[in-house]
Amino acid sequence: MAVVHHTTLEPGKLDLLTAWLPTRDWFTGTAPTLHRAGGFRLDDPDGEVGIECMIVIDVADPRRPAYHVPLTYRGAPLPGGEQALIGTSEHGVLGTRWIYDGALDPVAVAQMSALLSGAATAQDQDRSDTPADSVDVAVVTGSAISLRVNRIPRMSAEAESGWARVRWTDDNGATAHGVVLEASGN
């Protein structure tokens, strides 16, 4: 199981995402002010890559949209991953971390697929070795999984087979939920 370190990260995740999100074509705002609303972690079986599926809300946008941003944290650059790089940060325990868009990182994609096939368990964002109680999963069957990452969580799944739904809390304390991952099996 991955260890969650309670330490500093400079610049922080929200700082990096504030600069990065406006460069994405699926982002609907202009100049975000982000609230970390929820999410979960996944374990890398090799213990090398940190994987987090984060839900953030843009509180600067009057519509207050929620975004699902899978992130990976690596101790060295991802070969060929320049297009997926969000930025680098200094971790108080682990040193320099290269932070990537997890939807484009093969380790995260494999673990998100494993979650939907029942081979991985969503872990709490803030506590080590603790399953996430904010995630519901419908497992997909089949030998090959076609994964879809919903950047904007959906109210219900479009895929008939597998999905992951996350509950989160906005900056006013209201709870919501949405489907962040969907898959079909072959």
Side-chain angles (χ1 to χ4, degrees):
M1 295 287 173
V3 174
V4 176
H5 297 279
H6 296 282
T7 187
T8 58
L9 189 65
E10 292 296 328
K13 299 172 205 176
L14 294 181
D15 296 325
L16 291 172
L17 290 176
T18 296
W20 180 76
L21 277 175
T23 70
R24 308 292 96 189
D25 60 0
W26 42 265
F27 179 71
T28 63
T30 53
T33 300
L34 300 177
H35 167 74
R36 179 178 173 236
F40 60 96
R41 290 184 163 280
L42 293 166
D43 288 331
D44 171 11
D46 295 331
E48 295 296 320
V49 178
I51 305 167
E52 179 177 15
C53 291
M54 182 183 286
I55 303 294
V56 295
I57 296 174
D58 182 3
V59 298
D61 186 327
R63 298 167 295 171
R64 303 178 72 76
Y67 297 98
H68 168 226
V69 186
L71 301 170
T72 56
Y73 309 98
R74 291 175 165 267
L78 171 63
E82 295 80 16
Q83 294 296 336
L85 183 66
I86 294 172
T88 59
S89 244
E90 288 302 315
H91 189 278
V93 175
L94 302 173
T96 302
R97 299 284 100 183
W98 282 259
I99 301 174
Y100 290 93
D101 176 0
L104 302 176
D105 187 313
V107 173
V109 170
Q111 289 312 107
M112 288 185 282
S113 296
L115 174 68
L116 296 184
S117 71
T121 301
Q123 298 292 313
D124 190 89
Q125 255 182 322
D126 300 313
R127 294 176 290 172
S128 300
D129 197 21
T130 305
D133 61 4
S134 62
V135 181
D136 299 313
V137 178
V139 174
V140 64
T141 57
S143 58
I145 291 179
S146 174
L147 176 72
R148 180 171 69 198
V149 175
N150 295 336
R151 302 299 194 146
I152 298 172
R154 300 179 189 278
M155 292 308 295
S156 61
E158 290 183 357
E160 293 183 16
S161 27
W163 47 262
R165 181 177 55 221
V166 177
R167 288 179 301 286
W168 63 83
T169 305
D170 72 15
D171 60 312
N172 293 319
T175 59
H177 67 274
V179 175
V180 297
L181 301 172
E182 296 183 69
S184 55
N186 301 338

